[in-house]
Amino acid sequence: MIKACIFDLDGTLTNTVRTLAYFVNAETAKHGLPPAPVEHFKQFAGNGARTLIHRVLAYHGVTDAALEDRILQDYNAAYDADFLHLCTVYDGVADMITALRNQGVQLAVLSNKPQPTTQKIIKAFFDAGTFSAVFGQREGVPLKPDPAGVFEILELLHRQKQECLYIGDTSVDINTGKSAGLATVGVLWGFRDRAELEGAGATHIIAKPSELLPLVTA
């Protein structure tokens, strides 16, 4: 019986592709680079802010570690100062979360987005106490797909791995859950497609949020 669900954030709970594109393109423009297409950010995202910036610069054919550091710092500051810009919760997610809570399922978030921004977004869109743990990128904790964050959440929730699902929209998420020994759910409304999720070995793949509850209560 599933007692807990750990969710990715970007591309799973919230649609932030336009947000990411806006803030990255705003910073790269300061250095004379044209905007990268919004849709490309579905592939650029997933492995943390530094990798996001690195991929965008690579898209522009730029290799400059110092520039990457500067853009990363400015991007994180700008994003955190206006974290809800163009950000929305996917249709059906709020109802999904409510249904899970009504079933007594514990909920958590594990994201590669910086910790302060991750927590602010969750606080803005969901009632206090909805999630028992909300973790983003933190100093000294490896990013996903390393399972360290999953193990920390399981300990906090006092749950065994067989009682928990990991839900996300990318191969990074599926590999995170698999590395921790959890069953995984790939979602098709996010940043990546079925082929990527199947290739990563997702236990389940769902097309809309309402399809999660039957997996939890089966």
Side-chain angles (χ1 to χ4, degrees), residues 55-110:
R55 287 171 175 165
V56 174
L57 290 178
Y59 167 81
H60 290 298
V62 175
T63 304
D64 185 330
L67 178 62
E68 181 178 306
D69 287 342
R70 181 175 176 183
I71 291 176
L72 175 64
Q73 182 177 357
D74 292 344
Y75 162 80
N76 281 336
Y79 196 134
D80 193 56
D82 193 14
F83 57 93
L84 293 184
H85 184 65
L86 302 176
C87 179
T88 60
V89 174
Y90 284 105
D91 289 345
V93 162
D95 289 340
M96 171 188 71
I97 294 299
T98 297
L100 291 170
R101 292 189 72 191
N102 288 341
Q103 289 290 326
V105 178
Q106 292 174 293
L107 306 175
V109 171
L110 180 60

Side-chain angles (χ1 to χ4, degrees), residues 4-5 19-20 34 41 43 45-46 48 55 59 70 82 85 101 128 130 159 184 189 195 200 203:
C5 289
T19 312
L20 297 172
F41 283 82
Q43 295 297 322
R55 287 171 175 165
Y59 167 81
R70 181 175 176 183
D82 193 14
H85 184 65
R101 292 189 72 191
T130 297
R159 292 299 175 193
T184 57
W189 59 81
T203 312

Side-chain angles (χ1 to χ4, degrees), residues 125-174:
F125 284 120
F126 300 96
D127 293 338
T130 297
F131 294 93
S132 300
V134 177
F135 290 147
Q137 177 190 357
R138 294 167 292 154
E139 188 71 27
V141 181
L143 293 172
K144 300 183 295 183
D146 190 287
V150 174
F151 294 140
E152 187 175 356
I153 290 171
L154 291 177
E155 185 174 353
L156 284 171
L157 271 53
H158 304 291
R159 292 299 175 193
Q160 302 298 312
K161 58 186 180 182
Q162 63 269 21
E163 296 179 306
C164 185
L165 291 177
Y166 191 92
I167 302 101
D169 66 308
T170 73
S171 59
V172 172
D173 297 310
I174 303 307

Side-chain angles (χ1 to χ4, degrees), residues 38-52:
V38 172
E39 282 298 304
H40 283 36
F41 283 82
K42 290 183 177 181
Q43 295 297 322
F44 293 153
N47 296 83
R50 177 171 292 279
T51 300
L52 169 65

